[in-house]
Amino acid sequence: MQMKTEAQVFISKNTGIMAPPHVPEISLYLASEAHDLWLKTEEELEAIGLPPPYWAFAWAGGQGLARYILDNPECVRGKSVLDFASGSGLVAIAAKMAGAAAVTACDIDPWATMATAMNAVQNKTVIATRSDEIIGNDDGWQVVLAGDVFYDQQLAVVLIPWFEALAQRGADVFVGDPGRSYCPREKLQELAVYQVPVTRALEDSEVKKTTVWRFK
């Protein structure tokens, strides 16, 4: 429990409660230019035992996917949902707010699972969290959600067959992607396109075209 207490204190001190611009219904503990966390290098983070804090930012892929779920709640209503590589928990929270029966947020970074738990409380939602290596597993989820996961070739190589197997089994697998190189568009059905405001310091522009896809 000590790690959790320290993480809670750290997250509270190094973030502020903000609404992602594309999903104003949800408020999250996020870092901005006003927070030291934004300025720390990877070396500085390593010195304090903190992996890169992806959970402290609302990435375009997650914002687009969360927006789609809130606007199309029938995708998750009454269903069991996995939010893979959940980061801040934005997509998981959107799914619960849209009426999902049960939502699990999985991220291998335990700081992310703590941030998700804090963000769930902030939004008066109940989200289960886990931080194990889940790729290749199938717990029978009816819906699998993944925001911005195709940024790395090695990760894509293992994700794509897993997502395909889940889809073939009958799960709906939805992906939010801001044009990453390794997104397997030929295997996907386009559902929606959004222009998502982002921070230039994180991305290469102030607006990212983000597509929501479903595995065929």
Side-chain angles (χ1 to χ4, degrees):
M1 287 299 292
Q2 189 62 32
M3 156 65 181
K4 288 190 173 183
T5 305
E6 288 176 11
Q8 285 177 316
V9 170
F10 181 89
I11 291 167
S12 297
K13 279 186 175 179
N14 288 276
T15 60
I17 295 173
M18 292 176 258
H22 209 61
V23 198
E25 303 96 318
I26 295 174
S27 55
L28 304 171
Y29 287 89
L30 298 175
S32 74
E33 293 93 332
H35 298 99
D36 288 344
L37 187 61
W38 181 278
L39 304 170
K40 289 188 188 297
T41 64
E42 281 200 38
E43 290 75 20
E44 289 174 307
L45 292 168
E46 202 171 304
I48 60 173
L50 182 70
Y54 298 119
W55 50 265
F57 306 100
W59 301 88
Q63 287 197 59
L65 186 53
R67 178 76 270 148
Y68 182 82
I69 291 163
L70 289 171
D71 291 347
N72 299 274
E74 66 279 0
C75 293
V76 298
R77 187 183 293 126
K79 297 178 180 179
S80 59
V81 176
L82 172 70
D83 177 17
F84 171 75
S86 51
S88 67
L90 168 61
V91 175
I93 291 164
K96 192 64 180 174
M97 288 173 68
V103 180
T104 299
C106 182
D107 198 297
I108 58 171
D109 179 3
W111 289 86
T113 56
M114 174 51 63
T116 294
M118 292 172 67
N119 288 328
V121 171
Q122 175 65 27
N123 291 277
K124 298 180 173 61
T125 54
V126 177
I127 308 287
T129 60
R130 55 192 287 182
S131 56
D132 55 320
E133 181 53 77
I134 202 173
I135 296 172
N137 293 358
D138 185 353
D139 287 4
W141 312 286
Q142 293 168 287
V143 179
V144 176
L145 306 171
D148 200 357
V149 293
F150 293 117
Y151 52 85
D152 177 81
Q153 187 173 17
Q154 286 182 305
L155 179 59
V157 164
V158 293
L159 281 185
I160 292 166
W162 180 43
F163 286 162
E164 286 186 302
L166 292 169
Q168 287 166 3
R169 187 263 289 161
D172 288 321
V173 181
F174 297 95
V175 173
D177 185 78
R180 301 298 185 202
S181 300
Y182 306 107
C183 182
R185 295 166 187 82
E186 72 283 355
K187 299 176 183 290
L188 305 172
Q189 173 192 359
E190 182 181 301
L191 300 176
V193 179
Y194 301 105
Q195 300 295 328
V196 180
V198 290
T199 303
R200 185 176 285 277
L202 289 178
E203 302 280 8
D204 52 7
S205 62
E206 291 176 356
V207 176
K208 288 289 277 189
K209 177 185 174 185
T210 299
T211 305
V212 176
W213 306 89
R214 179 169 51 205
F215 267 78
K216 294 176 183 175

